[in-house]
Amino acid sequence: VVSVWMVPVEYYKTTIHVRDERYARKEFPEGVVVGDLYFQTGIQLVKNHRFLPDIRFNATLKTASGGPLTDCRYYDTPGYYFDFNIGKKWTFPNSKFIRSLTVSEMAGFLCWQAMQGFQDDAFLYGIKMDAAFSKCHFEADWSGYVGWAQPGDKPMIVRAKFSREFKKIHSLYISGLVGIVDYPFYCIRLGYELAIPCSFKFCKKK
């Protein structure tokens, strides 16, 4: 499996306080930039085994396509990371309360060029719980990485999301993110999702 993703265009505008805190060089912190482009290939090592958990290996490459470093939005430098994802799913077909429960964990290695002639390496980690109910869905995870080169490169975050399904294709959700270490930010989102059925042949299961 090969995946490609990026932020094609981003418009941003921050306060002067945020500009100074992030050491951005632009006098007026506003503009349009292009985000980073990522390529990833994944190999499923174990899947649907009766006793063993699902195991997947991912190799991801970050290109130097992001906007200029002076904007402090993206790193205009390359990077890569490798990770193993291990998870196990339990289903409860006879339960009226919960349909399934999935517990997974991730461990890997991250490397990126922080500036000219300087490289930082880090250990990746994460653990996630995913519970599906009759019409609701809840997921929570704790993740981060541990670098060695400079202060501030050991961020740790906690995320959670709760969604409610309506008529199978509509759902409303609320999600949140809180930084614990080296990530002094938080985020709350309210959203709506619409599942559009695919009519192409390659979408249909054989």
Side-chain angles (χ1 to χ4, degrees), residues 2 26 32 35 43 46 71 81 84 105 146 149 162 178 191 196-197:
V2 177
K26 293 187 68 173
V32 177
I43 303 173
V46 180
D71 295 327
Y81 63 90
F84 283 92
E105 60 182 23
V146 181
F162 177 81
V178 177
I196 302 176

Side-chain angles (χ1 to χ4, degrees), residues 102-150:
T102 304
V103 177
S104 57
E105 60 182 23
M106 178 270 292
F109 172 76
L110 168 66
C111 179
W112 71 97
Q113 183 181 336
M115 60 183 68
Q116 186 175 3
F118 177 77
Q119 177 179 300
D120 200 351
D121 309 307
F123 168 71
L124 291 171
Y125 64 89
I127 185 169
K128 182 177 181 180
M129 182 197 72
D130 195 312
F133 305 90
S134 58
K135 292 185 178 181
C136 300
H137 184 270
F138 176 76
E139 59 185 70
D141 71 87
W142 165 63
S143 59
Y145 62 84
V146 181
W148 63 270
Q150 55 189 347

Side-chain angles (χ1 to χ4, degrees), residues 122-189:
F123 168 71
L124 291 171
Y125 64 89
I127 185 169
K128 182 177 181 180
M129 182 197 72
D130 195 312
F133 305 90
S134 58
K135 292 185 178 181
C136 300
H137 184 270
F138 176 76
E139 59 185 70
D141 71 87
W142 165 63
S143 59
Y145 62 84
V146 181
W148 63 270
Q150 55 189 347
D153 64 351
K154 300 176 178 61
M156 181 189 302
I157 63 173
V158 173
R159 289 175 289 199
K161 179 180 179 181
F162 177 81
S163 60
R164 175 69 161 82
E165 182 184 279
F166 300 92
K167 296 183 179 180
K168 294 185 178 181
I169 63 172
H170 307 277
S171 64
L172 297 175
Y173 71 87
I174 179 172
S175 64
L177 178 151
V178 177
I180 301 177
V181 179
D182 287 344
Y183 195 84
F185 310 104
Y186 64 90
C187 175
I188 298 177
R189 290 190 177 122

Side-chain angles (χ1 to χ4, degrees), residues 54-75:
D54 291 344
I55 303 176
R56 178 186 175 92
F57 172 75
N58 296 313
T60 307
L61 171 66
K62 172 192 171 301
T63 64
S65 61
L69 187 59
T70 55
D71 295 327
C72 289
R73 306 299 298 180
Y74 300 95
Y75 273 115

Side-chain angles (χ1 to χ4, degrees), residues 196-206:
I196 302 176
C198 181
S199 59
F200 296 101
K201 292 183 179 180
F202 59 80
C203 296
K204 299 179 181 179
K205 295 182 181 181
K206 297 181 180 179

